[in-house]
Amino acid sequence: MKQLQKLKKRAGFTLIEVITTIFIMSLLMILILPNIHRIREFAEQKQSQAFFQNVQNQVDLFRGQYPEYEVTLPNLLEHGYISKAQAEQINREKILIQGNQIKRGS
């Protein structure tokens, strides 16, 4: 009977248990969040490099198919070598088309 009364008194968490749990969760967040940020930056950098290489490949394909045309962003769009979304990203990333090569602008 006394054991049953002790169990009824201990229905919730104590303040120390709650504070300890919050502290451990905070500590884990402090350790995890910087790594997530670093991983996100690394992924964005790799995506940008892949996009840059993709645009260079599209320029090379265009030059092979249409040697008589100048390689410009409007010509690539007109002939379907890049989409409007890709053209917008080219402008956002300040990629310049110069001759047969592309370069990052400042």
Side-chain angles (χ1 to χ4, degrees):
M1 190 72 149
K2 286 186 178 185
Q3 290 176 345
L4 187 58
Q5 288 176 347
K6 283 184 180 179
L7 286 176
K8 286 184 179 180
K9 285 183 180 179
R10 182 123 165 88
F13 293 107
T14 64
L15 183 59
I16 297 295
E17 290 171 333
V18 171
I19 290 174
T20 304
T21 304
I22 291 172
F23 174 75
I24 290 171
M25 290 172 57
S26 300
L27 188 61
L28 288 173
M29 292 300 286
I30 288 171
L31 294 172
I32 292 172
L33 285 179
N35 290 332
I36 291 173
H37 182 66
R38 197 173 318 126
I39 290 168
R40 182 177 290 136
E41 286 178 349
F42 180 75
E44 287 173 358
Q45 181 185 18
K46 288 296 181 184
Q47 178 188 14
S48 179
Q49 289 173 354
F51 180 73
F52 187 83
Q53 186 61 44
N54 185 39
V55 172
Q56 181 62 57
N57 290 339
Q58 296 304 88
V59 167
D60 293 341
L61 287 171
F62 180 85
R63 176 54 80 193
Q65 183 85 25
Y66 301 102
E68 66 277 2
Y69 287 101
E70 181 182 356
V71 181
T72 62
L73 193 57
N75 282 344
L76 290 171
L77 268 168
E78 180 183 334
H79 291 90
Y81 280 85
I82 59 172
S83 66
K84 287 183 181 182
Q86 288 173 320
E88 291 170 3
Q89 187 172 355
I90 287 171
N91 290 331
R92 272 194 313 271
E93 293 192 20
K94 299 177 181 169
I95 295 175
L96 304 173
I97 301 173
Q98 296 176 341
N100 294 341
Q101 299 295 314
I102 61 170
K103 298 179 182 178
R104 293 203 188 269
S106 356

